[in-house]
Amino acid sequence: MKAIVVHQYGGPEVLKLEDYPDPAPTAGEVLVRVAATSVNPLDYKRRAGSAKDFPIKFPGLIGVDLSGTVVRIGAGVEGFSVGDQVFAMADNTYAELCVVKAALLAKIPKGLDLVGAAALPLVTTTGNQLTSATAINAGQTVMVLGAAGNVGRSAVFTAKERGAAVIAGVLKRQMDEAKTVGADQVVATDEAATIANLPPLDAVADTVGGATAEKLIAKVKPSGTFASVVGVPRNAAEFPDVKAVFVFSRFDRRTLEFMAEAVRDGKLVIPISQTLPLSEAAKAQAAAEKGALGKILLVA
């Protein structure tokens, strides 16, 4: 098969399209012919060597998101058949073929585009689980930091589904974009006066971290929750009455199917900014690192 192979840590230029051994499914696994994958921050952090918990064994592959078609079934696998259209959070997805544990695989809902489905697994699952970690309930107010991003959009949608009032926190230059995410209110987090005038919040769902997170944890009510996918604020200890939670996304089939159905039905929009061939993975990652809005897909 063809795959994007990494031989050393470095910039996008280390991503090389090469021949690589075809994987074969063992017991409990499924072989998928990849239709598309997508670019996530974890991908380029692994390539650069900055994701210390996810090292690459050289020469190695990268990639998390996957959509495609089942081509072979390993022993003991139930619920999947050759020809099924599936998607997943997997490993080594920048390739024409990928082995996935059946327990980490889901069928693409009917009516959802096969290639477009590759944009969804990591960001929609993460956004859903981030909101869930805030324990927000109907009638409460949650602020989603980085609401214009794909994880943020997914968190806003999930919070609204739970009946919460949602404030979208974004940079001033993202205000117009953030008006499309479905929040009840949009505020600029890089305006000091705006932050100072915020009412007490029941929870914050954070996708940006840094100084913004350190300011916003002070706005959470006692017994409220500050949940983050990038790490709890450095000043969290100054607010012992606020529960600070780090959220690490984990595959959940029902969550992924629920979020994918919302995308199919137009309730949630995950913008796709570019669709490129797998051979242009370096170009795709360079664009993503520069902060391109919308998901970038790589078609195998």
Side-chain angles (χ1 to χ4, degrees):
M1 70 174 181
K2 294 290 187 181
I4 296 297
V5 185
V6 185
H7 293 270
Q8 64 186 52
Y9 294 124
E13 70 279 357
V14 304
L15 302 175
K16 305 294 185 182
L17 184 70
E18 299 177 2
D19 290 319
Y20 198 81
D22 289 2
T26 58
E29 295 180 333
V30 173
L31 181 66
V32 177
R33 182 166 298 283
V34 179
T37 182
S38 77
V39 178
N40 290 293
L42 178 60
D43 302 338
Y44 51 76
K45 289 177 181 178
R46 289 192 69 205
R47 182 215 73 220
S50 60
K52 302 300 184 182
D53 292 334
F54 301 93
I56 301 172
K57 184 177 180 181
F58 302 119
L61 310 184
I62 60 173
V64 177
D65 285 328
L66 167 149
S67 66
T69 304
V70 174
V71 292
R72 197 186 310 171
I73 304 289
V77 172
E78 298 180 353
F80 294 97
S81 303
V82 171
D84 284 346
Q85 292 190 343
V86 294
F87 57 161
M89 291 163 55
D91 294 316
N92 307 331
T93 63
Y94 283 28
E96 292 179 331
L97 295 168
C98 185
V99 163
V100 185
K101 292 181 180 179
L104 303 180
L105 199 62
K107 293 180 182 178
I108 296 174
K110 291 183 178 179
L112 185 64
D113 176 68
L114 174 62
V115 170
L120 307 183
L122 183 60
V123 296
T124 63
T125 299
T126 301
N128 181 286
Q129 292 176 351
L130 173 61
T131 293
S132 296
T134 67
I136 200 75
N137 292 312
Q140 294 183 312
T141 300
V142 59
M143 186 170 192
V144 178
L145 297 181
N150 299 301
V151 173
R153 286 171 173 266
S154 301
V156 169
F157 167 76
T158 304
K160 292 300 297 178
E161 285 291 297
R162 294 172 74 110
V166 181
I167 302 172
V170 297
L171 298 175
K172 186 175 181 179
R173 59 180 171 80
Q174 298 172 321
M175 291 283 284
D176 288 342
E177 177 71 17
K179 292 175 183 177
T180 70
V181 305
D184 299 285
Q185 182 183 353
V186 180
V187 301
T189 55
D190 48 353
E191 291 185 340
T194 299
I195 298 300
N197 291 327
L198 281 173
L201 304 167
D202 294 293
V204 169
D206 170 42
T207 73
V208 298
T212 301
E214 292 173 21
K215 294 175 184 176
L216 266 299
I217 192 172
K219 290 293 182 176
V220 180
K221 298 176 182 177
S223 76
T225 302
F226 189 105
S228 176
V229 294
V230 291
V232 299
R234 290 183 299 178
N235 61 339
E238 299 175 16
F239 304 93
D241 293 331
V242 175
K243 183 180 180 181
V245 181
F246 171 63
V247 179
F248 183 79
S249 180
R250 299 191 182 281
F251 176 81
D252 182 84
R253 182 177 289 123
R254 289 185 178 179
T255 296
L256 178 54
E257 290 172 344
F258 170 74
M259 299 299 279
E261 288 168 0
V263 171
R264 178 198 61 193
D265 297 341
K267 298 176 181 178
L268 169 64
V269 176
I270 303 297
I272 296 173
S273 61
Q274 297 182 64
T275 300
L276 300 171
L278 183 63
S279 59
E280 296 189 25
K283 178 180 177 181
Q285 286 204 358
E289 286 184 278
K290 290 179 181 177
L293 285 175
K295 293 289 287 181
I296 302 176
L297 303 184
L298 293 171
V299 180

